[in-house]
Amino acid sequence: MTFHDLNLLPQLLQAVDELGYTAPSPIQAEAIPPVLEGRDLIGCAQTGTGKTAAFAIPLLQRLNGRVSRRHTPIRVLVLTPTRELALQIKESFDQYGKYLPIRNTVIFGGVGQTPQVEALQKGVDVLVATPGRLNDLCSQGHIDLRSIEAFVLDEADRMLDMGFIHDVRKVIARLPVQRQTLLFSATMPQEIAELSQKILRDPVRVEVTPQSSTVDAIEQRLYKVDKGNKKLLLQHVLQDRSLDSVLVFTNTKHGADRVVKELERSGIAAMAIHGNKGQTARIRALDSFKSGAIRVLVATDIAARGIDVSELAAVVNYELPNVPETYVHRIGRTGRAGRGGVAISFCNFDELAYLKDIEKLIRKKIPTVEDHPWPMEILEATPKKQREPRPPRAERLARTERPQRQKPAERRMERTAPAPQPERPSPRPAEKPALQFPPVQAPPVRRISSEPPRVGRLVAFADGRRGRKRPGAKK
Ligand code: AMP
C-alpha cells in the first residue's frame, strides 16, 4: 500500500513524499481511512509506530476547505502529557500541513503564558496542549473549546501514570458533545478502558502494535551486574563506537544526574533530561543530542516520553523499571519506524524480580551477555536502608570529602577487572608527582592525653587478666 491509495489531498501527499515516507506504517494504513470518514477511533499504539501521522494527516484533510479566519474558534484539540510531545506533535502538523492554509499552535506549562496567549489571539485551527496549561488558559477566558470538531487524547495511559487524569476529565467536560474523538494509548489499564467507553462513540479499534511485535524488532541484551559496577559497565558498553546515540534510562532524577557526572568523569559527553530541569535546559540537552554534540542522553521515564530521535542506536536501561510496561515503552525508543536498534539492560540482584515480570510480559527471555568484565557477584538483596538514593548534598560530600566506602566484594572486583578505557583523556588534571623533601630529624614527641594518668604496676592477675596494681591495693 502507498499513501496514494488512501485518497489523500495532493498537498498532503507532497508533504509526506518530501519527508521521505514511502509507505504508510501499519497504524496509518488502518487509522487514516476511518478518521477521514469522521469515525471515532481507539488506537493501541505507542510512540515510534507513526501514530502522530495516523491522526494528523486525516484531520488536516478534514479541516481543509473549511479553514477558519482570524479570531474564529479552535477546531481540533490534541491533548498530550508532556511538553516535548506537544512540541513534536505541533511540528508534525506543521510538516504534514505544509501546503495547507491551516494554523497550528502549541501550549504547555513551565514557561510564560504571554507568547502562547498572543499566538492564540492570532487565530488557531489546531491546538496541541498539555492538560494543566490548557485548563489554566480556559479558566482565564483565553481559550474556548466549545467549537472543537475533533479531539485527540494522546498517550492516555501516560496521562494516568503522571496524575493528569483529573485535568483530562476537566478538559473533556469543556468539549462539545458532538465531536469526533480519537484516543491513543500504549496500554489499556482499567481506568482508561472505562474512560474510552464514556468518551468514544462506536469507535473503530486499531491495534497494530501488539507490544511483543515491537519488542521482537529490537535486539535485546541483558547484563547481570552489581549495582556498584554499573557505571563501569556503562563505560565498557560505550566502547562500542557503533553506539553513536544512546538514550540511558534511570529510575530517578538524582540517578540521571549521577550517571551524567560519572560519564563526564570518564570523558564521555552526556547530558540529563528530567523533571527538575527547566524547559530551556531540556531543549538544550535534546538539541545537543540530536545534533550529535553529545553522544549520551540520560533520562527519566517521564522526561523521555517526548524524545523523538530517529537515529537512536541504543537504549540502555541503567536500572530496570519496576513496571514491566515501562520496559516496553523504553526500548520502543530504539528501532523506530522499522529501523533496527539495540536495547541493553543492566540488572543487579535486587532487580531480578523486575526482570522476571518483564520477561513474562514480553513472553521471552532476554538474551544474557555472559562474557563481560563486571559479572554479578553479590547474590543477596541490598538492605532496604541502602537502596534509597542519598540526597544530592550528602552524595556530593561523600564523593568530594570522604573516600567512598565499598563493599568488600566491590573492592575485590575493582582490583581484578580491567580498567575501562576512557574515550578521550580524563578532563581531570593529571596528579602531580609528590614533592621530595630531605629527611628531617623528628623532634622529641610530648604526648598529651585526656585520659587520667595511669598508675600502678602492670601485672598478671590470678584469673589470667592483665592490669595495673594500684600501690597499696590488697592482693
Ligand atoms: P510517531 O510514532 O508518530 O512518534 O512517529 C515515529 C517516527 O516515525 C517519526 O520520526 C516520524 O517522522 C516517522 N514516521 C511516521 N510515519 C512514517 C512513515 N510512514 N514512514 C517513515 N517514517 C515515518
Side-chain angles (χ1 to χ4, degrees), residues 3 21 23-25 28 46-53 96 308 336-337:
F3 281 101
Y21 298 1
S25 71
Q28 291 160 5
Q46 58 195 61
T47 306
T49 53
K51 73 175 156 72
T52 314
Y96 306 136
D308 177 16
R336 303 174 72 87

Side-chain angles (χ1 to χ4, degrees), residues 3 16 19-25 27-28 46-55 85 88 92 95-96 308-310 333 336-337 339:
F3 281 101
V16 164
L19 286 168
Y21 298 1
T22 47
S25 71
I27 193 163
Q28 291 160 5
Q46 58 195 61
T47 306
T49 53
K51 73 175 156 72
T52 314
F55 62 79
L85 272 172
Q88 273 161 29
S92 299
Q95 287 174 335
Y96 306 136
D308 177 16
V309 181
S310 45
R333 315 310 311 233
R336 303 174 72 87
R339 286 178 285 265

Side-chain angles (χ1 to χ4, degrees), residues 127-385:
L127 177 64
V128 184
T130 54
R133 176 56 57 95
L134 178 64
N135 277 320
D136 265 5
L137 295 186
C138 287
S139 305
Q140 293 173 40
H142 294 298
I143 296 176
D144 182 353
L145 298 177
R146 282 175 301 180
S147 53
I148 291 294
E149 295 164 30
F151 167 57
V152 182
L153 179 54
D154 185 38
E155 309 244 341
D157 52 347
R158 287 288 126 186
M159 294 281 197
L160 191 67
D161 290 352
M162 292 168 74
F164 295 162
I165 203 72
H166 178 64
D167 274 324
V168 171
R169 289 186 203 279
K170 258 169 93 175
V171 171
I172 292 167
R174 298 178 194 273
L175 299 173
V177 179
Q178 281 297 329
R179 57 161 201 263
Q180 182 178 14
T181 303
L182 317 177
L183 183 147
F184 290 89
S185 198
T187 54
M188 208 41 78
Q190 180 70 11
E191 211 168 336
I192 297 303
E194 281 168 18
L195 179 74
S196 65
Q197 272 175 6
K198 278 194 196 130
I199 66 170
L200 297 166
R201 276 197 224 159
D202 184 25
V204 174
R205 230 191 138 78
V206 179
E207 201 170 348
V208 287
T209 51
Q211 290 177 344
S212 55
S213 73
T214 310
V215 168
D216 286 346
I218 297 163
E219 185 196 331
Q220 298 174 71
R221 297 179 202 156
L222 179 77
Y223 288 78
K224 290 192 178 155
V225 55
D226 293 323
K227 193 173 169 183
N229 286 333
K230 285 187 175 181
K231 54 179 182 280
L232 300 168
L233 180 60
L234 183 59
Q235 290 161 24
H236 168 76
V237 163
L238 290 173
Q239 283 174 23
D240 178 351
R241 304 296 312 188
S242 72
L243 304 181
D244 53 359
S245 58
V246 180
L247 181 58
V248 176
F249 281 97
T250 58
N251 291 346
T252 65
K253 300 171 210 170
H254 299 318
D257 287 335
R258 224 174 10 234
V259 171
V260 166
K261 274 188 216 144
E262 281 152 5
L263 286 174
E264 281 175 344
R265 275 201 200 114
S266 68
I268 299 168
M271 279 174 144
I273 179 168
H274 55 63
N276 282 1
K277 300 267 177 193
Q279 181 69 351
T280 328
R282 285 183 186 209
I283 292 173
R284 196 178 335 118
L286 260 180
D287 286 349
S288 307
F289 189 54
K290 283 185 183 174
S291 70
I294 55 164
R295 184 176 159 206
V296 181
L297 188 66
V298 186
T300 54
D301 292 295
I302 288 176
R305 291 302 299 166
I307 300 172
D308 177 16
V309 181
S310 45
E311 298 300 325
L312 203 55
V315 161
V316 174
N317 290 306
Y318 193 84
E319 288 149 335
L320 284 184
N322 57 4
V323 176
E325 281 85 2
T326 305
Y327 174 83
V328 178
H329 280 300
R330 286 182 179 181
I331 74 164
R333 315 310 311 233
T334 185
R336 303 174 72 87
R339 286 178 285 265
V342 185
I344 294 165
S345 298
F346 295 173
C347 175
N348 64 332
F349 188 83
D350 296 326
E351 295 169 319
L352 286 172
Y354 304 155
L355 175 66
K356 212 169 135 199
D357 289 346
I358 291 166
E359 291 183 332
K360 204 167 134 199
L361 176 77
I362 63 172
R363 292 196 208 104
K364 69 180 217 179
K365 276 205 110 37
I366 306 174
T368 307
V369 178
E370 303 287 354
D371 185 22
H372 71 84
W374 310 100
M376 186 195 286
E377 289 197 356
I378 298 173
L379 302 176
E380 60 191 31
T382 314
K384 276 223 165 68
K385 262 198 303 191

Side-chain angles (χ1 to χ4, degrees), residues 450-466:
S450 58
E451 286 175 29
R454 287 182 276 185
V455 287
R457 238 171 357 106
L458 194 62
V459 293
F461 294 106
D463 60 5
R465 282 180 303 117
R466 286 169 68 84

